[in-house]
Amino acid sequence: MSSSIVNLFLPLLLASTVYSSPLRVEERAILVESIDDLETSYDYVVIGGGTSGLTVADRLTEDLKGMLKAINLSLHALTGLFAPDGQEPGVLVPGVAPPPQYSRNYESVPQPGLNGRTSPVYSAAVVGGGTVINGMFFNRGLAGDYDAWEKLGNPGWAWKDLLPYFKKSETFTPPPDDLASQYPISGDLAPHGTNGPVGSSFSVYRYPIIKNFFRGWNDIGIASNTQPNAGDANGAFYGPLSLDFKNQSRSTSSSAHYRPLVDKRANYHLITGQSVTKIAFNDQLQASSVSFSTRNTTDTHKVSAGREIVLAAGAIHSPQILQLSGIGPRKLLSDLGIDVVADLPGVGHNFQDQPSFFLSFNFTKYTGPSPDLFFTDQSWAAEQLATYYDNRTGPYTIPYLSGSIVCYLPLQNVTTAYETYIKTAADLEVSTILPAGINSTLIEGYKKQRDLILNLYKSTQATVQETAFGGGKTVPIAILKPLSRGSILINSTDPSAPPVIDYRTFSNPTDLAIAVAALQKNREFMASASMQEVGAVELVPGANITSVHDLEEAIRGLATSTWAHPVGTLSMMKREYGGVVDPELRVYGVHNLRVVDASIMPLIPGSHTSSTVYAVAEKAADLIRGIKPSDGYYK
């Protein structure tokens, strides 16, 4: 068998032309441009070309002496293209809107918790995945968030075990002196990596109103946190971005794990423009090959895996691929006429995201610049873009519709009634908040999760809400540790049909109660002396809405189900808890098949998820190669 890796990327392959850009661009890696150029068999087949797929494929092929071969099949979008980006300004310049062709968005089913409205389901359609189009916030969760993973039966997945992989993934550049001297931000390198592939640093520009944000939280007793990435992620803080500091440009999994490497490795093939249709198993239930079809044709193809198939299609599509391949809830598969390879009720369940809603304020006494000017003053915006290209400064160094400034609060800082919230949540009958007829293993797993989450709710560090502040009128609030659980399930054997996506937002009423308390806390913040210095006046939902019932209704009308952080649909838990993969990320009931993306996270961390996905993928690569932590994580 030829020793190689293929990365099955399902996007449309374009010619290797690079769009012109004022930024320096790297040479594009050479892609396999024809099915005829593929080998019939590889050591590893990696399905998915996003954050985790590129990371794992890079690590599996970096030992050129062993010459293990891999192919990466990059998933195509149902709409738009899934190909390497063209290094456009919208990819490289943080403040420019990402090109829309690199997104593929679906809709959920109507959500009763949102008054019957649907919610978007965000997904990327580009080599590099979400890191090419996301808000670039690059923080980590609380140490206890990851310790809870271990407590669900996953030895080796606690904070202490993941920290080396967080560090391995990044090159952290400390803040410049002028930034560190004015804001609560530390240049401490201890929790950071300094020789990894992903850039992590800070924008060189700040809107003046940001100082009021920090002082406002301090006014009401919320401390600033100078080092949120060392395992204590609460308080008001200035978080790092996935940013190359020197160039003030976006750092992506493509720039970290694809462009610099693939053209230098004969053992790494990557093909785009394909759609995975099925993983096949032999009589010993070993994952043996992957079938895929070429976009806009009826042609189907197959590559075999001599060692393992690695699934990295993301929390939305990885469960879809397993279900189409006969791994999932028996009744679902049988009803669709799919032969059952492994009856795993948890496939597609335990779906989690962070519901969010957007408040709006006028700052009637503030006369300085704000990101709102990008939409109201085109001359100003053009001047700032020219400044960026001239010297890499100005507001275009801040991510589009995003930023670095947040406040993360534990439940005790959100409401004095936190003990009542915890007791009420513990007393809820599980059968009333999970779908009717759900498998008993999923009920047991949910109970374990709930107990761990409620224990975190008691902590003075575990955060339940995020307030993001970019300096403009819109102020998003996200609920970081929801108790509601959704599902992603196929209703067709057509691989091109999107799955049925149900967030089940606010199906656990505790989430809505916390959302109301978070809104009230943010009103207290906006009423602080420092925020009144800039004349904060609430526009949405409106200061006249005050009763709990009216606030609940306002949130149901404002909220969306997602903070673009889907996880959990192929959870790493014990099989008797509805788990799908073991602590080695191997799929239960079959052989030679692992999952390495956000779908394996059993509990969503109280953070954005990009840096955690990198850490999971780095650890996964070591697990696949049989490298133990004692061998050294830089090996």
Side-chain angles (χ1 to χ4, degrees):
M1 185 196 74
S2 176
S3 198
S4 73
I5 284 184
V6 72
N7 194 313
L8 287 177
F9 253 175
L10 317 177
L12 178 65
L13 175 62
L14 302 179
S16 299
T17 315
V18 175
Y19 290 80
S20 62
S21 166
L23 299 179
R24 178 184 64 82
V25 299
E26 299 169 277
E27 291 299 318
R28 172 172 295 180
I30 299 171
L31 303 177
V32 177
E33 299 196 15
S34 169
I35 297 295
D36 295 336
D37 295 329
L38 288 178
E39 300 181 19
T40 58
S41 183
Y42 293 82
D43 291 311
Y44 297 98
V45 177
V46 180
I47 301 172
T51 308
S52 57
L54 289 185
T55 302
V56 170
D58 174 11
R59 297 306 186 191
L60 292 179
T61 56
E62 65 185 354
D63 182 5
L64 297 180
K65 292 180 181 179
M67 282 299 288
L68 289 172
K69 251 185 174 179
I71 180 171
N72 191 308
L73 292 169
S74 172
L75 298 163
H76 76 68
L78 297 177
T79 58
L81 305 177
F82 203 145
D85 66 81
Q87 299 284 270
E88 303 95 328
V91 172
L92 298 175
V93 182
V96 175
Q101 68 266 30
Y102 298 148
S103 298
R104 56 175 174 188
N105 299 328
Y106 311 115
E107 287 291 318
S108 74
V109 299
Q111 299 293 292
L114 303 180
N115 295 331
R117 295 181 296 115
T118 62
S119 275
V121 183
Y122 299 114
S123 184
V126 62
V127 173
T131 61
V132 178
I133 61 173
N134 67 8
M136 299 175 58
F137 200 55
F138 206 62
N139 70 326
R140 306 167 186 168
L142 174 76
D145 292 343
Y146 306 104
D147 292 344
W149 293 8
E150 185 172 64
K151 292 174 183 176
L152 284 167
N154 300 305
W157 285 91
W159 165 256
K160 63 179 175 58
D161 305 302
L162 278 173
L163 181 58
Y165 294 104
F166 279 113
K167 296 170 72 173
K168 181 180 181 180
S169 70
E170 70 171 347
T171 289
F172 175 76
T173 303
D177 291 342
D178 67 320
L179 180 62
S181 65
Q182 296 182 59
Y183 295 90
I185 184 170
S186 170
D188 176 25
L189 293 176
H192 289 289
T194 56
N195 194 35
V198 182
S200 171
S201 193
F202 304 90
S203 164
V204 295
Y205 180 85
R206 287 81 60 194
Y207 292 104
I209 197 173
I210 297 303
K211 289 185 177 180
N212 296 80
F213 178 86
F214 286 106
R215 293 202 310 262
W217 285 110
N218 297 162
D219 289 345
I220 63 171
I222 304 301
S224 298
N225 185 346
T226 61
Q227 182 48 279
N229 273 11
D232 179 6
N234 82 95
F237 61 88
Y238 202 126
L241 303 170
S242 49
L243 182 82
D244 175 78
F245 178 76
K246 182 178 180 180
N247 210 31
Q248 289 288 293
S249 60
R250 179 189 290 267
S251 182
T252 71
S253 63
S254 177
S255 64
H257 290 291
Y258 165 64
R259 290 181 182 278
L261 303 172
V262 180
D263 59 339
K264 299 176 181 177
R265 293 185 185 170
N267 61 331
Y268 183 2
H269 291 178
L270 183 147
I271 188 166
T272 66
Q274 314 301 317
S275 179
V276 167
T277 57
K278 186 178 181 180
I279 300 169
F281 300 85
N282 61 23
D283 292 342
Q284 289 74 46
L285 297 182
Q286 297 170 325
S288 56
S289 65
V290 177
S291 297
F292 57 98
S293 61
T294 302
R295 184 181 175 89
N296 297 326
T297 76
T298 57
D299 298 340
T300 58
H301 315 278
K302 182 175 73 172
V303 289
S304 298
R307 296 195 178 202
E308 293 190 23
I309 293 171
V310 181
L311 183 55
I316 306 301
H317 291 289
S318 284
Q320 178 186 23
I321 291 171
L322 284 194
Q323 290 163 15
L324 290 169
S325 304
I327 298 177
R330 178 178 297 277
K331 185 177 188 307
L332 172 74
L333 304 182
S334 297
D335 287 350
L336 290 170
I338 298 173
D339 292 337
V340 178
V341 175
D343 178 17
L344 291 180
V347 173
H349 286 282
N350 197 43
F351 177 34
Q352 301 159 59
D353 204 328
Q354 296 156 329
S356 58
F357 54 98
F358 295 77
L359 310 183
S360 181
F361 294 85
N362 263 340
F363 300 107
T364 59
K365 299 178 184 178
Y366 177 67
T367 58
S370 82
D372 299 323
L373 290 174
F374 284 118
F375 307 99
T376 61
D377 190 335
Q378 294 305 304
S379 295
W380 179 87
E383 291 171 0
Q384 303 311 312
L385 188 58
T387 297
Y388 177 87
Y389 286 137
D390 285 344
N391 54 34
R392 297 297 188 269
T393 60
Y396 273 95
T397 63
I398 298 173
Y400 179 75
L401 298 181
S402 184
S404 293
I405 314 303
V406 296
C407 185
Y408 278 33
L409 297 179
L411 188 59
Q412 291 191 33
N413 284 347
V414 174
T415 173
T416 57
Y418 68 93
E419 291 178 328
T420 300
Y421 284 54
I422 294 170
K423 185 178 186 306
T424 301
D427 290 343
L428 283 172
E429 175 54 48
V430 171
S431 63
T432 66
I433 53 179
L434 294 179
I438 196 168
N439 186 273
S440 61
T441 61
L442 297 175
I443 294 174
E444 289 305 307
Y446 180 79
K447 289 178 179 178
K448 295 290 184 182
Q449 290 190 14
R450 178 197 60 189
D451 292 346
L452 287 168
I453 292 172
L454 295 184
N455 192 52
L456 287 169
Y457 281 2
K458 298 174 184 178
S459 166
T460 57
Q461 292 182 313
T463 54
V464 300
Q465 78 104 60
E466 171 187 348
T467 301
F469 190 65
K473 293 181 177 180
T474 302
V475 180
I477 297 174
I479 306 307
L480 298 175
K481 282 190 180 62
L483 286 162
S484 300
R485 295 291 181 270
S487 62
I488 297 179
L489 304 170
I490 60 173
N491 66 349
S492 166
T493 57
D494 180 0
S496 67
V500 177
I501 302 169
D502 187 359
Y503 290 102
R504 302 189 74 250
T505 305
F506 299 143
S507 55
N508 189 312
T510 306
D511 295 343
L512 183 57
I514 291 175
V516 169
L519 193 158
Q520 293 169 326
K521 190 67 178 184
N522 278 268
R523 282 179 167 176
E524 181 186 351
F525 156 69
M526 287 294 180
S528 67
S530 295
M531 293 310 294
Q532 285 306 302
E533 285 180 10
V534 292
V537 176
E538 182 178 324
L539 301 177
V540 176
N544 60 312
I545 300 176
T546 57
S547 73
V548 170
H549 175 269
D550 290 348
L551 289 172
E552 287 178 344
E553 289 306 304
I555 291 171
R556 290 185 191 277
L558 289 171
T560 180
S561 299
T562 179
W563 200 219
H565 302 144
V567 308
T569 48
L570 299 174
S571 287
M572 178 176 58
M573 292 193 295
K574 293 180 179 180
R575 192 168 183 176
E576 56 263 38
Y577 295 162
V580 178
V581 301
D582 68 12
E584 300 283 311
L585 304 182
R586 299 170 297 200
V587 176
Y588 290 123
V590 297
H591 307 287
N592 302 350
L593 175 61
R594 299 195 207 221
V595 185
V596 299
D597 57 38
S599 65
I600 67 95
M601 299 182 195
L603 292 170
I604 193 167
S607 65
H608 294 224
T609 53
S610 177
S611 67
T612 300
V613 173
Y614 277 116
V616 166
E618 291 281 11
K619 182 175 174 67
D622 274 3
L623 290 173
I624 294 169
R625 294 179 294 178
I627 296 176
K628 300 177 182 179
S630 58
D631 295 331
Y633 65 84
Y634 283 112
K635 182 173 179 180

